[in-house]
Amino acid sequence: MHNQSSALQQGPCRLESLDDLNKFREQLERNIDPDHPEIVVCHGTGCLASGGEAVSNAIQATLDASGIKAKVIPGIKTTGCQGFCSRGPLVLIRPQGIFYQRVKPKDVGEIIEKTIVQGEIINRLLYKDPQTGEKIIHEEEIPFYKYQDRKVLHNIGKIDPTNLYDSIMAGGYQALAKALTTMTPEQVVQEVELSGLRGRGGAGFPAGRKWRSALLAIEKKGRPVYVVVNGDEGDPGAFMDRTIMEGDPHAVLEGLILGAYALGATEGFLYVRAEYPLAIKHLGIAMEQARAHGLLGKNILNSGFSFDVRINRGAGAFVCGESTALFTSIEGKPGNPKPKYVRSVEEGLWGRPTVLNNVETWANIPLIIDKGGDWYKKIGVSHSTGTKVFSLVGKVNNVGLVEVPMGLPLSDIVEKIGGGVPGGAPFKAVQTGGPSGGCIPYSLKDTAVDFDSLTEAGSMMGSGAMIVMDDTDCVVDLARYFLRFLEEESCGKCMPCRFGLSRMREILDGFSEGRGTQADIDDLISLSKAIQDGALCALGSSAPNPVLTTIRYFKEEYLAHLEDQNCPAGVCKALITFQIDPEACNGCTSCARKCPVGCISGGKKEPHTISADECIKCGICKESCKFDAVRII
Amino acid sequence: MTTSDQHIDELMDQYPPKPEYLIGLLQDIQDQQGYISYGAMLLASEHTKVPLSQAYSVATFYQSFRLDPPGEHEIKVCLGTACHLNGGQQLVDGLSRKLQIEPGETTDDMMFTLSTVNCVGACAIAPVAVVDENYHAGATMQKLEREMRKVIDLSSDKIMGEPNA
Amino acid sequence: MRYLQGILQIRCCPDHIREIAVIEFKINDKEVKAREGWTILETAKEYGIDIPTLCHHPAVAPTGSCRLCMVELREGDWSKLVASCIYPVKKGITIYTETPKVHNVRRWILEMLLASCPASEEIRELAQKHGVISTRFSVHDPNQKCLICGLCQRVCEEVVGLSAIAVLDRGVHKKVGAPFLRPTDICVGCGSCVTICPTDAMQEIFDTVRGKPELPLSQLA
């Protein structure tokens, strides 16, 4: 879409050295006028779903229709997810850096006429700080962005992910060129060891140590060795890896090539969830572009080092995020995990030494090689270095993707960046770590968000999903939700997991129906221990965590379900009734018309009533009532 | 040889005859034909040198494979955590009631297939439903019923536009 | 002992038997010796130490799926449970086969098996032997015998070399059968799967795999 690609039009040129890359970048930069106006439209999934594509189409159409009186025609750029999903579609005007939110196609004409042509700011489209009521013009002044430290996400939202030149101008492939020209593979490994980088996929195993073990395994067994990207981001509520793959695919690729160079691998794999078609597309484009420019494939940057990579689309199995299951899946078999009595760095893909890291981990590698392990380890806290990307979702004002240094207090993320719970009440709990993690209650809001502190609190970092819960969310229901999820996703190979998760869920079903007993709580804990000790892989052994942490921190809520037959959050269907407040109901008949079982009666303009016996508690009446007259009791 | 077999042949040409390409090949077959028939599975298993029983095992292990023809339109309801907290399950129940099918099933008139997905990673706009690859933010039964009527109208327009249909 | 010689012959080239290192470690505080490459379960059997298992058979590769053979591996204060059928012996390790942790896993698995495979006499006997005589869980299918240990599929693939059957679906929906759940002529009716089945469940599944024979298998025998 841009005027920078004159070099591309002459056909792809192979870059032969670091010098070549630098010259090429300078040439690209010369073609760019930093003061040239540019309209940047977020094309992350959140913004696309709220109409981002219609906005960018409208901009293109308006510009095409010409009639524009600007001295220069602005460029349009579509980028990956800018993170602030709850305010989408997002539009950024450069060079001024004006941040417009909730933009609709009908706003486009005004944006071009006023902001682009006359340099005026449209007040209505600015973000309003809910605390101060102030309108904020620039992205970096918005609290959601102000308290972040965007390192891995740095380029996302700035570059067009399908344009290699954009990536190169943002510093892409600098680290690779540096490593191939000035560093030995051993020095690359040392730099990663020095950085203290821990795997971002869940367990937090130090990446450098993993690479070192692989080198030792190679000494014993020889090559080939494989490098693999785990892009099977299955934790519900997590979309960090998706955003990185969609928004900056070259960073993932560059990290992987660096790893391959360090370990002497010639073949690598990108295992990406099938539910992420855009990520697969962008990675595919990135690979082609990198190959065409001598950054991937044979004799990379004329260094003599060759490496190529293939994409494997996942086929819909959460368990394939587990390393051994992921390997069997790449081999073309059902993703049943294998016992890890021999580590996968020694015996991974096809029984060969294999280094598997997740997307975010790989995307950190170019930063470390470019700026040094010493620089990297100063970010964050001593045992958890660097930054971590979180998807902040649930009952929080600013839903979106945030990147912060490790070790920040939980409350800073939820309250300062996330803007707290809608309505201003304190949050009830934050669920971290996905189905393998746990719930951290408000009383532990000062918990530092790093690998070890979260584990100590009974939860875990996981891949970085952070789900904020408020008083209307029931912990028994949440625990049941995660068990149901894992029950469906368990591969079923080992019995503690295949039988145990269903049986635990059945016990929890009892609680949500008011049938639980104190002995059930004891059984849940004992069975949880059996599953933790007995399950074959990490999916099973971590599956009881949501149950155990909710019992640990919210036992009184479990007891309310069994002693008082009451779901305090008003969620568990068997324990609630829907009623219409006769004071608030004005008899508009909307609910009666929509009720799927016809159990709401009442004349026009008269208060309605719900027949409790027939009500199936689907909640459609509550959803359709414009007067908030339907109450859950 | 039927036309669909010929198409599958073309797909198979892109994959070396090794077991590791089975999943990719099955995915391509499904993308092209909407589902994987007995015949297609037989061809794929022979081509990749995987015993038929194991190919079937693969196709039933992974959730995205479909062994029956899908409906004309697919409604996918996300049941990720954020969607769950915001009423995703109510949407599934509502659609199930409306279409009189369970998730994973197709209506008798082959118009709609209802399915659930574990998280489409669009948590910021929960609850999310995806109708024929179009994401619907903040989905409600009312919005989805409207959308369903829209796609039915589109389908019937298409049929009426073709004189021989 | 004959059983072990069998294994050695299968696994090792006879010329090299003498060169295989002997590994010493402890089971239940007792010094034991094993050959390199053995598992804990193989060693325990050699010494007559009873470890329950349902998914293990010397004729096929172990997969560690039933988890009944879990034993406790201790190193100082640290301990973890490992599946003895696949955990390779290592010099100096200390293994305990009867500890509270082991019992807790075993008891819950047996209690769940009683509810999930209520028709199996073998499982009832095994559970009783380990003190589990009733289950707190509800029975969904009173006729179920199959615990999906996968032995039938492994013997068909590894020993018979046919792969006529497979473990289908996943998780709670897992089952054993032929492709598309139709009878298959790949099955030659050798009956190895029926022989290896620990609970008699394959007897019934067998008839659905090889189509409808003129005589039911029970009468053929």
Side-chain angles (χ1 to χ4, degrees), chain A residues 578 594 618-626 630, chain B residues 87 90-91 139-143:
Chain A
F578 280 79
K594 297 205 171 82
C618 67
I620 288 178
C621 50
K622 191 167 166 43
E623 182 191 291
S624 69
C625 181
K626 292 190 182 77
V630 182
Chain B
Q90 272 95 306
L91 288 179
T140 61
M141 269 314 283
Q142 295 180 51
K143 284 192 200 169

Side-chain angles (χ1 to χ4, degrees), chain A residues 186-506:
Chain A
E186 172 59 26
Q187 283 171 320
V188 174
V189 178
Q190 280 172 5
E191 220 50 61
V192 175
E193 282 177 322
L194 179 65
S195 73
L197 173 70
R198 292 172 69 170
R200 266 41 174 166
F205 193 82
R209 207 190 301 165
K210 192 185 266 186
W211 292 21
R212 179 65 65 197
S213 308
L215 285 177
L216 293 175
I218 294 165
E219 262 177 41
K220 271 198 285 184
K221 302 176 74 168
R223 293 192 169 80
V225 51
Y226 298 108
V227 285
V228 184
V229 178
N230 185 347
D232 194 49
E233 179 177 59
D235 279 9
F239 52 102
M240 300 70 60
D241 291 348
R242 165 190 201 139
T243 302
I244 297 171
M245 290 186 285
E246 286 179 2
D248 196 1
H250 285 289
V252 182
L253 211 51
E254 187 182 357
L256 186 69
I257 304 169
L258 281 164
Y261 174 66
L263 298 161
T266 55
E267 213 180 330
F269 297 85
L270 288 153
Y271 190 92
V272 188
R273 237 180 136 209
E275 287 87 344
Y276 290 175
L278 195 62
I280 293 170
K281 185 177 155 199
H282 285 184
L283 284 166
I285 293 172
M287 278 156 55
E288 256 175 59
Q289 292 172 337
R291 272 191 210 110
H293 290 79
L295 298 164
L296 180 68
K298 288 218 170 67
N299 195 12
I300 295 172
L301 286 171
N302 204 22
S303 66
F305 165 64
S306 298
F307 169 75
D308 215 332
V309 58
R310 203 164 86 196
I311 296 181
N312 281 73
R313 280 178 289 162
F318 174 74
V319 67
C320 287
E322 200 275 343
S323 60
T324 57
L326 188 145
F327 296 146
T328 55
S329 182
I330 291 181
E331 290 166 14
K333 297 178 225 158
N336 290 315
K338 289 181 200 155
K340 273 193 189 168
Y341 299 141
V342 184
R343 291 171 308 163
S344 59
V345 284
E346 291 172 35
E347 229 170 82
L349 207 47
W350 289 292
R352 302 299 315 169
T354 306
V355 167
L356 173 76
N357 281 124
N358 101 316
V359 170
E360 193 184 331
T361 316
W362 286 117
N364 268 291
I365 302 291
L367 281 174
I368 292 169
I369 300 306
D370 190 33
K371 302 211 165 114
D374 238 345
W375 168 85
Y376 190 86
K377 77 173 183 200
K378 291 194 186 100
I379 311 164
V381 288
S382 66
H383 292 288
S384 299
T385 58
T387 59
K388 176 79 192 84
V389 185
F390 294 97
S391 56
L392 190 60
V393 300
K395 305 295 169 62
V396 61
N397 275 310
N398 303 335
V399 173
L401 207 63
V402 305
E403 182 176 354
V404 292
M406 294 268 193
L408 218 60
L410 183 63
S411 55
D412 274 16
I413 300 177
V414 177
E415 283 160 5
K416 271 192 181 166
I417 297 174
V421 171
F427 64 83
K428 175 176 177 175
V430 178
Q431 207 281 342
T432 72
S436 318
C439 281
I440 298 171
Y442 185 73
S443 58
L444 295 181
K445 68 181 165 54
D446 296 326
T447 304
V449 178
D450 60 58
F451 287 105
D452 307 315
S453 308
L454 286 178
T455 308
E456 217 170 280
S459 184
M460 65 187 277
M461 179 77 80
S463 56
M466 228 177 230
I467 295 139
V468 182
M469 299 164 66
D470 70 3
D471 283 342
T472 63
D473 296 319
C474 169
V475 292
V476 176
D477 180 69
L478 188 80
R480 244 177 100 221
Y481 163 79
F482 281 123
L483 279 179
R484 164 135 279 172
F485 174 88
L486 292 171
E487 193 184 339
E488 286 300 316
E489 291 297 337
S490 160
C491 80
K493 178 173 172 179
C494 81
M495 294 188 202
C497 185
R498 167 154 46 91
F499 293 140
L501 302 186
S502 307
R503 297 305 185 178
M504 278 179 78
R505 199 254 311 145
E506 283 175 16

